[in-house]
């Protein structure tokens, strides 16, 4: 997973706080909160990437069940389960050889 810059998280948090303060509770919606966050991001100089539906999708890649957390994760070119888990604290199963299909 790509790490989200702290500055972007701060902008989103400010947008959500502003939305909760300025919008009556009975009128708050997830879409309204998302729109406010997108508005804050773009006016703060952050770009939003909207994928086009007619672009080719990446090919499906093989996955293997991690022996530690039991979740299926991508297999690297070296035949190992990709690194996963919280940032700075990878799952102990990261990097183990992927079982044969």
């Amino acid at each position: 997973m790509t790490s989200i810059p702290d500055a972007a998280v701060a902008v989103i948090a400010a947008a959500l706080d502003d939305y909760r303060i300025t919008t009556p509770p009975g009128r708050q919606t997830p879409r309204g909160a998302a729109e406010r966050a997108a508005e804050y991001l773009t006016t703060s100089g952050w770009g939003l990437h909207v994928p086009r539906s007619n672009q080719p999708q990446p090919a499906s890649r093989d996955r293997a069940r991690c022996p530690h957390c039991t979740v299926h994760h991508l297999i690297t070119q070296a035949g190992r389960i990709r690194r996963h888990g919280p940032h700075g604290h990878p799952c102990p199963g990261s990097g183990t050889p992927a079982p044969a299909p």
Side-chain angles (χ1 to χ4, degrees):
M1 184 171 120
T2 304
S3 178
I4 300 172
D6 290 339
V9 172
V11 170
I12 294 169
L16 295 177
D17 283 344
D18 181 61
Y19 182 75
R20 283 190 290 267
I21 291 169
T22 61
T23 306
R27 298 187 57 169
Q28 293 179 8
T29 63
R31 181 181 178 91
E35 287 175 350
R36 183 71 56 94
E39 175 188 341
Y40 267 56
L41 284 169
T42 56
T43 58
S44 297
W46 292 95
L48 298 176
H49 171 72
V50 180
R52 298 175 69 181
S53 60
N54 61 355
Q55 289 180 338
Q57 298 297 315
S60 176
R61 291 179 47 198
D62 291 332
R63 295 177 180 265
R65 184 181 301 272
C66 172
H68 184 76
C69 67
T70 70
V71 175
H72 283 86
H73 294 283
L74 292 175
I75 300 173
T76 66
Q77 296 289 341
R80 298 186 170 276
I81 296 174
R82 77 158 181 87
R83 185 179 172 109
H84 58 280
H87 182 69
H89 301 284
C91 173
S94 295
T96 58

